[in-house]
Amino acid sequence: MGPHAASRPLTLSEQADELEEKMMNELNDKIATKSALFAMADGSLDYVGGAELQARNPGKYFLMGADPRLPKMPDKPTLIDFFKHRFVSMNHLLQSATLALKAGHEEKVVLACLLHDVGVAGFIRCDHGYWGAQLIEPYVDEEVSWAVRVHQALRFFPDESVGYKYPDMYRKYFGPDYQPEPYIVEEYKRARGHKYYMTARLICVNDIYSFDPDAKVNLDDFVDIIGRNFKQPKEGLGFDNTPSSHMWRTLMWPTRFL
Ligand SMILES: [Fe+2]
Ligand SMILES: [Fe+2]
């Protein structure tokens, strides 16, 4: 029981103080910082510098490693660890990959479906195809990362040859008049003639029906396919000095001060 127990209900500001205190305790008295982008997501360009932030939290140091409020990651994390402890919408990825598997597609396509939205699941929505491709690029066949990158653009354009129509969901989400920006149109045009076009298209085909909240899916079904097609670095993702290692570290430690 807290110090105010029994006497009277807590005021809102007392509740806020207790919550803040609880969060601080869970942080082991470290100060977690929000990056500029996190604040922008709340429509704010407010910035509090390190000195001022520390002055507001006397006697505390900034968090420079794992955030104890998030699930603990192993020292040498694998893709599976990120699926289990960081990706927030794993079900959508598993449903897409399950659909591709049932349709009998080759493992590269199944892996592309499994990873197509890692940008959204672990990082950021805006340009999720590009972020996702960059994350996985050092570890997968170029066909897989290429397909993940351009599926973002292909989603907006029908392909009758495989029965892919403009998604009704997009009309619902973005309104009937939404037109993709010119860079998306250009990406689509470039992709049309590309040798891996159909791989990216198959991501879209297996993606669109993948929003069933009751579907039974299991990450275990894909462990072997990941093992054969994702070059897991022995040092762990984030510690292998590739062009995307820093991105995996940021995913692991999103509130590090620097
Ligand atoms: Fe996507
Ligand atoms: Fe998707």
Side-chain angles (χ1 to χ4, degrees), residues 92 116-117 120 128 151-152 155 170 207:
H92 171 62
H116 78 281
D117 281 342
V120 174
H128 75 287
H151 94 274
Q152 179 186 330
R155 297 284 273 119
Y170 281 9
D207 193 4

Side-chain angles (χ1 to χ4, degrees), residues 92 96 116-117 120 125 128-129 147-159 164-171 173-174 178 180 184-185 187-188 191 197 199-211:
H92 171 62
S96 288
H116 78 281
D117 281 342
V120 174
R125 280 189 172 279
H128 75 287
V148 168
R149 179 174 289 110
V150 306
H151 94 274
Q152 179 186 330
L154 295 198
R155 297 284 273 119
F156 293 98
F157 300 90
D159 183 341
Y164 181 84
K165 297 188 177 67
Y166 183 82
D168 289 335
M169 196 184 75
Y170 281 9
R171 229 167 260 123
Y173 277 7
F174 310 128
Y178 174 74
I184 294 287
V185 178
E187 190 75 274
Y188 166 68
Y197 167 77
T199 309
R201 182 53 81 185
L202 285 173
I203 291 179
C204 306
V205 170
N206 288 286
D207 193 4
I208 193 162
Y209 304 109
S210 300
F211 292 88

